[in-house]
Amino acid sequence: QALLRRDPLMLFDQHVTAEGYRDVVKKPILFSNIREKLLEHQYQSMGAFVADTKLLCENALAFNAPGSIYANTASEMLELITIMQKRASAWVSAVKDSYSA
C-alpha cells in the first residue's frame, strides 16, 4: 500500500506505448504485475518482490527525462523500497537473534 500511495496517478500501471520504449526497456513490468504476484503468493522472498519493484523504478528512470513526474515518482518509490527493505531486514535479524539467544 505504501508504494501504491507513491503513485496516486497510477503512472506505472499502464502499458507504455511511447516510441523507443522497448529499445530502452528490455524487461517491462507494471504495478498490476507486482500486485497480482503478491495476491497470488508468487513471491518466494522479500528479495524477489524488491527486485520487481526496483525493476519498475529503474525502467522509469531509464526511459523518462530527469525531473519528469515519472522519474520523480520512481525515485521516491526507490527510496521507499530501500527503507522498507532495511526495516524488514532489521526485523528478521531481531527475530533470529531472539531465537538464537
Side-chain angles (χ1 to χ4, degrees), residues 4 13 19 39 60 65 69 72 82 91:
L4 290 174
D13 211 18
E19 187 174 324
L39 294 174
I69 189 170
N72 290 345
T82 300
W91 180 80

Side-chain angles (χ1 to χ4, degrees), residues 16-26 63:
V16 179
T17 58
E19 187 174 324
Y21 180 77
R22 292 294 181 134
D23 296 330
V24 174
V25 175
K26 302 302 180 194
F63 185 73

Side-chain angles (χ1 to χ4, degrees), residues 1 8 55 88 97:
Q1 292 299 334
L55 175 63
D97 290 347

